[in-house]
Amino acid sequence: AAGVIQSPRHLIKEKRETATLKCYPIPRHDTVYWYQQGPGQDPQFLISFYEKMQSDKGSIPDRFSAQQFSDYHSELNMSSLELGDSALYFCASSQEAGNTIYFGEGSWLTVV
Amino acid sequence: EDQVTQSPEALRLQEGESSSLNCSYTVSGLRGLFWYRQDPGKGPEFLFTLYSAGEEKEKERLKATLTKKESFLHITAPKPEDSATYLCAVRTSGGYNKLIFGAGTRLAVHP
C-alpha cells in the first residue's frame, strides 16, 4: 500500500541557510501534519493542513512556514536555520480530520 | 493543559516474558487514543486507535485497552523483533487536527 512520501530523506545545511522539506500524502488523504522529533524526544506537533487550509498550529517557530498545495502535497520551509533545528522531521497524513494518522519515514535535517 | 504520560520509560524483557506498557492521560475531551511503534530513525508505525472506555483491540502479540484515564498495551510472549519504542498519542476536542504524544516506552526483548 502507498505510504506517506517525504523528501529529501537527509540534508545538511549551514547556520542561517534555508531548507525546504516536501511531503506527499497517501492518495485520497486530505489532511497533512508536520512534526519535529529531536534526539531521544517524542514528536512535537508543528502544524497541520486540511483541504489546503491551515487547521492547527503547534510549536512552529516564526522562521518556519508551510503550505499545502492543490495536489495535497505539502512543503515545510525553514529559514535562518539554527543548530537547534537539527532533528527528524515527520510528515503525516489522514483521510479527513479525525481518522488514523499515518507517518512518513522522516527527513533528517542536520544544521552545522 | 492536555498531558500524556507513559511508563515505564524503558523496559527490558526476556523473550516470552509478557508485560504491559501504560499510557495515562489528562485531556479536555478525548477524541481518540493512538498507539504507534517506532524503530530508531524511522517514522512511527500505526498500531491501534481506541475511542471509548472499555474498548480493546488486538494485533498479533499486542493488545490495547482503554479506560477513562489510561490505556495499556499488553505484549504477550514477546519476541526480539518486538523491540522498539512504543508511543502513545491522543487527539482531543480542543485540537482535532493534531496528536499529543507521550515520551514513549523503549522496549528491549532479549533472546
Side-chain angles (χ1 to χ4, degrees):
Chain A
V4 178
I5 305 298
Q6 291 187 245
S7 68
R9 293 297 314 279
H10 301 269
L11 71 164
I12 300 174
K13 292 286 185 178
E14 296 188 354
K15 286 196 309 183
R16 293 180 289 278
E17 283 194 320
T18 297
T20 297
L21 306 181
K22 296 186 178 182
C23 170
Y24 297 86
I26 293 171
R28 292 183 297 282
H29 281 196
D30 51 21
T31 306
V32 169
Y33 314 76
W34 285 98
Y35 283 81
Q36 177 192 59
Q37 187 174 30
Q41 298 181 357
D42 54 287
Q44 295 296 311
F45 173 72
L46 295 178
I47 196 167
S48 62
F49 294 87
Y50 169 65
E51 283 291 345
K52 293 152 279 184
M53 299 287 290
Q54 179 182 308
S55 55
D56 253 309
K57 195 170 182 180
S59 51
I60 184 169
D62 291 339
R63 300 177 288 108
F64 293 9
S65 65
Q67 58 181 324
Q68 186 180 29
F69 295 86
S70 58
D71 63 351
Y72 294 101
H73 95 272
S74 178
E75 295 184 4
L76 177 66
N77 298 292
M78 300 174 285
S79 62
S80 302
L81 287 169
E82 302 174 356
L83 296 178
D85 296 327
S86 296
L88 190 53
Y89 289 83
F90 290 110
C91 174
S93 73
S94 67
Q95 185 176 27
E96 298 180 14
N99 287 323
T100 298
I101 300 175
Y102 295 92
F103 284 77
E105 288 298 298
S107 292
W108 280 101
L109 170 66
T110 302
V111 181
V112 297
Chain B
E1 182 182 342
D2 298 328
Q3 198 165 9
V4 179
T5 303
Q6 292 188 245
S7 62
E9 286 186 16
L11 181 62
R12 178 189 170 114
L13 298 174
Q14 289 297 122
E15 186 172 2
E17 179 187 2
S18 302
S19 188
S20 297
L21 313 182
N22 178 264
C23 171
S24 62
Y25 58 91
T26 306
V27 300
S28 54
L30 181 71
R31 302 297 292 273
L33 185 142
F34 300 78
W35 282 98
Y36 289 87
R37 168 194 170 128
Q38 186 175 29
D39 293 299
K42 298 285 188 70
E45 175 189 345
F46 171 73
L47 294 174
F48 304 107
T49 309
L50 301 166
Y51 290 101
S52 56
E55 190 174 358
E56 297 182 355
K57 288 192 177 173
E58 287 188 69
K59 179 181 178 181
E60 297 179 353
R61 295 178 291 282
L62 300 176
K63 178 180 177 180
T65 62
L66 181 66
T67 72
K68 289 186 177 179
K69 293 183 178 181
E70 59 191 349
S71 176
F72 291 93
L73 184 65
H74 307 278
I75 303 177
T76 302
K79 298 181 178 181
E81 53 262 42
D82 294 322
S83 298
T85 294
Y86 290 84
L87 296 166
C88 169
V90 298
R91 171 186 273 130
T92 72
S93 55
Y96 205 58
N97 284 331
K98 67 180 181 183
L99 292 179
I100 300 170
F101 280 89
T105 293
R106 293 188 311 278
L107 173 65
V109 181
H110 296 269

